[in-house]
């Protein structure tokens, strides 16, 4: 992971697991967590919710990081959802 603003990859996530997965790629990257309030996101299905959350996170970080910068880095955003008896829940962080 890099803290340099010139890292070619930006991970729009504060997840330690996602950070470790991206580190396995062996490329310089930096972490820019999204400020999206996931409780305000609506999805008709778990898949729709996860896609809407990932898109919202992407747009949030892209707006702050990319702006009008034509040389902006690649931005990766994603979301995870767990369904138990058709009830959607965000995974709990393991501490």
């Amino acid at each position: 992971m890099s803290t340099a603003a010139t890292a070619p990859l930006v991970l729009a996530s504060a997840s330690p697991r996602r950070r470790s997965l991206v580190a396995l790629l062996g490329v310089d990257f930096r972490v820019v967590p999204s400020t999206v309030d996931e409780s305000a996101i609506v999805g008709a299905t778990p898949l729709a919710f996860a896609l809407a959350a990932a898109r919202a996170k992407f747009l949030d970080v892209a707006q702050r990081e990319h702006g009008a910068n034509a040389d902006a880095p690649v931005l990766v955003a994603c979301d995870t959802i767990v369904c138990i008896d058709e009830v959607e829940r965000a995974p709990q962080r393991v501490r």
Side-chain angles (χ1 to χ4, degrees):
M1 185 172 79
S2 172
T3 57
T6 58
L9 180 71
V10 172
L11 176 61
S13 175
S15 165
R17 178 66 180 145
R18 288 191 187 103
R19 183 179 302 162
S20 67
L21 289 171
V22 173
L24 292 173
L25 297 173
V27 298
D28 283 342
F29 71 99
R30 61 193 173 96
V31 174
V32 180
S34 167
T35 59
V36 169
D37 176 8
E38 291 186 36
S39 67
I41 297 172
V42 177
T45 66
L47 176 59
F49 177 88
L51 290 172
R55 183 176 190 273
K57 292 174 185 181
F58 176 88
L59 293 173
D60 173 59
V61 174
Q63 183 177 26
R64 288 186 285 133
E65 290 295 307
H66 290 200
N69 182 1
D71 296 325
V74 172
L75 175 59
V76 175
C78 53
D79 195 68
T80 304
I81 193 83
V82 175
C83 294
I84 302 171
D85 296 327
E86 298 184 28
V87 176
E88 301 171 5
R89 296 186 177 96
Q92 297 297 313
R93 288 215 169 119
V94 177
R95 293 192 170 110

